[in-house]
Amino acid sequence: MPELPEMENYRRLLSELIINAPITNVVVNREKSINVPVESFKEELLGTRTIFVERRGKHLIFHLNNGRRLLLHLMLGGLMYYGTEEDRPKRSTQIEISFGDRTLYFIGLRLGHLHLHSAKEVDELFAPLGPEPLDRRMTPEKFAGILQGRRGSLKSLLVNQHVIAGIGNCYADEISYEAGLLPSVKVQDLTEASVARLYDAMQKVLREALEGGGYMDTPFMVGDQLTGGYDNQCKVYDREGEACYRCGGTINKSELNGRKVFYCPSCQHEQ
């Protein structure tokens, strides 16, 4: 599932390509991917322009010049491609939004969606979300305060969108590894030093993943050399049975609270 780095990478690319470009055509191949009747969806979008693309957690918000918002959540397996019919991936599309001779294809939205909302509705939907981990206001002190009084496993806390927005399975494991902590460690048992190390790990991993284009393996457009560049930099995620880059131990895969976890039992500890 695309997480903060992947969605922020998409946001940056889209901000360079579609801002103030009029929407010239809309195709909806799967009605369940939207939240209003197809004709209403098309009428609302045709001729409008995107004036700003925002990211909140794992969502993208397209701010339209008519005051409306398009809210995107790719969920599991979703991706976007910007280009022409000839060069796009040979996969079925759920929604297509054209800007002249280029189209933004929404692919894999079987679980994801592209919903049309008012600004007020978007604010209400995001009210329960936790703070952004890379926001300038996310200081070590604020992070420690967020963890204070929390209970349960570290993995469960990191992926809880009501606690911190944008982190999912992949980066929760990568952050835990960077901090030298087991994903199963109880948050309530972490020392002050461990919490400080965890904060530093979160900042380092997410920023490096963002600059590396995230782990999505499908280019966003022809000539895109950035998207997916972080995939080969993951230290533990999806590396079961391989050698740990840090200590040479073997990366394990297990299940914790219904989620898969990857970790190195040799150099990740309780503190």
Side-chain angles (χ1 to χ4, degrees):
M1 177 185 293
E3 303 177 32
L4 186 158
E6 288 71 43
M7 299 309 287
E8 181 64 16
N9 179 56
Y10 276 145
R11 187 199 69 78
R12 291 180 178 184
L13 290 166
L14 287 164
S15 296
E16 296 177 356
L17 295 165
I18 69 168
I19 297 301
N20 289 323
I23 294 175
T24 56
N25 193 38
V26 178
V27 175
V28 177
N29 295 318
R30 184 175 186 268
E31 294 184 29
K32 289 183 178 180
S33 296
I34 61 177
N35 62 328
V36 296
V38 172
E39 288 308 311
S40 297
F41 188 80
K42 291 181 177 180
E43 288 174 10
E44 288 266 15
L45 295 188
L46 284 173
T48 63
R49 301 167 186 260
T50 300
I51 58 174
F52 178 57
V53 183
E54 179 186 5
R55 182 195 55 77
R56 183 71 172 96
K58 302 177 186 179
H59 303 79
L60 285 189
I61 310 105
F62 298 79
H63 293 241
L64 305 178
N65 66 337
N66 63 359
R68 303 285 276 168
R69 307 283 190 267
L70 274 175
L71 179 60
L72 172 69
H73 197 316
L74 290 173
M75 294 294 287
L76 185 65
L79 59 92
M80 287 183 285
Y81 186 84
Y82 180 81
T84 66
E85 181 68 24
E86 289 71 30
D87 59 49
R88 74 172 179 85
K90 303 307 178 187
R91 293 178 54 183
S92 60
T93 62
Q94 285 69 58
I95 303 169
E96 303 173 10
I97 299 179
S98 296
F99 305 85
D101 61 354
R102 293 291 185 271
T103 298
L104 182 58
Y105 297 95
F106 296 86
I107 301 169
L109 291 186
R110 297 299 176 182
L111 298 175
H113 58 259
L114 185 66
H115 285 178
L116 188 63
H117 290 291
S118 67
K120 181 181 179 181
E121 288 170 340
V122 170
D123 289 343
E124 291 172 349
L125 287 168
F126 286 157
L129 280 187
E132 292 285 328
L134 297 183
D135 189 280
R136 59 180 176 79
R137 294 166 291 185
M138 179 60 80
T139 62
E141 294 74 21
K142 180 169 183 177
F143 181 71
I146 290 172
L147 268 59
Q148 192 170 16
R150 296 280 177 180
R151 304 184 66 83
S153 71
L154 176 58
K155 171 88 175 200
S156 295
L157 176 129
L158 289 174
V159 300
N160 186 338
Q161 301 304 294
H162 294 199
V163 178
I164 301 173
I167 300 173
N169 279 328
C170 173
Y171 295 109
D173 288 351
E174 292 297 309
I175 291 167
S176 298
Y177 174 83
E178 182 66 30
L181 295 168
L182 289 167
S184 58
V185 68
K186 298 301 181 185
V187 176
Q188 62 268 28
D189 295 334
L190 290 177
T191 64
E192 186 176 325
S194 294
V195 171
R197 202 165 68 246
L198 183 63
Y199 171 83
D200 290 341
M202 178 179 72
Q203 295 292 316
K204 182 176 186 290
V205 167
L206 293 178
R207 292 183 190 281
E208 287 182 353
L210 177 55
E211 293 310 309
Y215 69 82
M216 299 280 288
D217 60 0
T218 301
F220 177 72
M221 58 189 290
V222 170
D224 178 13
Q225 299 294 316
L226 177 62
T227 301
Y230 191 75
D231 190 37
N232 293 327
Q233 298 180 48
C234 288
K235 307 298 192 304
V236 289
Y237 189 75
D238 230 7
R239 295 191 62 238
E240 180 187 11
E242 297 181 33
C244 172
Y245 294 134
R246 186 163 55 200
C247 73
T250 302
I251 303 301
N252 282 11
K253 175 186 176 183
S254 62
E255 190 171 296
L256 180 65
N257 300 325
R259 292 178 178 271
K260 61 181 179 180
V261 291
F262 296 89
Y263 62 98
C264 175
S266 299
C267 64
Q268 289 177 253
H269 308 290
E270 294 289 334
Q271 293 296 341

